[in-house]
């Protein structure tokens, strides 16, 4: 009988996804070069590492930004995982570590559906595509689109210019009115002291 270990995602971009743990060392992160890839903004490119030692998996954080937690406690060093423990990456990515025993010599029961002719068997629809997850990030870094910088316009000089233009127009209008109606002596008698 051999033991098989896996991580089951409870919350994150693909709830219910099972990650079978195989090998002596596995890396977990957002980058596609990891053994377990979790495409989420909470996950660092190289977030954590699982090492198989003495028949058990040891989990350690690789200096991630949002941290690695086991049962709600942030890892400060390597930690041996036990079946049923909750592993969290950041605040929203939650997985459960499970160990199951598998007997390769065991008899496996198969359904009788194989005896039914394929023409009379109902067709099973393909699974729906995975829903877009709010925290997902592109698998590879993409250059940010260039957005032209908007130049802020200082409105104060414009307002001052409009105000000065308005005052000049009003003064010009008043002077034109005085000149057109021959009211120089009425409004400005000091300009013409002997002729008004």
């Amino acid at each position: 009988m051999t033991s098989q270990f896996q991580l089951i995602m409870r919350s994150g971009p693909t709830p219910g996804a099972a990650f079978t743990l195989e090998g002596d060392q596995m890396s977990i992160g957002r980058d596609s070069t990891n053994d377990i890839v979790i495409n989420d903004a909470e996950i660092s490119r190289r977030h954590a590492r699982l090492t198989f030692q003495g028949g058990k998996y040891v989990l350690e954080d690789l200096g991630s930004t949002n941290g690695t937690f086991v049962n709600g406690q942030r890892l400060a060093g390597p930690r041996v995982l036990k079946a049923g423990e909750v592993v969290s990456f950041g605040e929203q990515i939650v997985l459960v570590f499970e160990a199951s025993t598998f007997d390769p010599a065991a008899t496996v029961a198969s359904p009788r559906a194989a005896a039914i002719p394929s023409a009379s068997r109902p067709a099973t629809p393909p699974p729906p595509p995975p829903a877009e997850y709010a925290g997902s990030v592109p698998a590879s870094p993409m250059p940010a689109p260039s957005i032209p910088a908007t130049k802020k316009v200082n409105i104060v000089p414009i307002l001052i210019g409009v105000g000065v233009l308005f005052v000049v127009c009003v003064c010009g209008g008043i002077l034109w009115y005085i000149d057109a109606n021959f009211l120089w002596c009425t409004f400005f008698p000091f300009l013409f002291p002997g002729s008004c």
Side-chain angles (χ1 to χ4, degrees):
M1 232 185 254
T2 60
S3 291
Q4 183 178 12
F5 299 96
Q6 61 185 357
L7 287 170
I8 308 292
M9 185 174 290
R10 294 294 176 228
S11 68
T14 53
F19 301 100
T20 303
L21 306 181
E22 298 172 345
D24 293 335
Q25 190 170 350
M26 299 181 70
S27 60
I28 302 169
R30 192 175 72 223
D31 193 71
S32 61
T33 60
N34 290 293
D35 300 302
I36 296 175
V37 178
I38 301 174
N39 188 15
D40 188 89
E42 293 263 328
I43 304 286
S44 296
R45 292 184 193 281
R46 293 192 47 80
H47 197 99
R49 177 176 39 230
L50 282 166
T51 308
F52 193 68
Q53 298 174 354
K56 298 177 181 178
Y57 272 100
V58 178
L59 177 66
E60 62 182 310
D61 187 81
L62 297 176
S64 65
T65 304
N66 294 320
T68 302
F69 301 82
V70 175
N71 298 330
Q73 300 219 341
R74 189 171 188 147
L75 290 184
R79 160 100 183 239
V80 175
L81 291 178
K82 298 179 185 116
E85 288 191 310
V86 177
V87 177
S88 304
F89 301 111
E91 295 179 8
Q92 298 179 15
I93 311 302
V94 179
L95 299 105
V96 176
F97 179 75
E98 293 183 356
S100 59
T101 54
F102 175 71
D103 186 0
T107 304
V108 179
S110 62
R112 288 191 57 188
I116 301 172
S118 62
S120 62
R121 245 186 280 157
T124 56
E132 187 65 27
Y133 181 66
S136 64
V137 291
S140 63
M142 293 180 6
S146 60
I147 300 172
T150 57
K151 186 176 178 182
K152 291 190 175 189
V153 177
N154 191 356
I155 197 163
V156 173
I158 295 171
L159 290 176
I160 291 172
V162 169
V164 168
L165 184 62
F166 178 75
V167 169
V168 168
C169 289
V170 168
C171 290
I174 291 172
L175 290 175
W176 175 81
Y177 178 77
I178 291 171
D179 190 48
N181 295 311
F182 304 107
L183 300 173
W184 286 104
C185 288
T186 307
F187 286 104
F188 305 108
F190 56 88
L191 293 176
F192 311 102
S195 60
C196 292

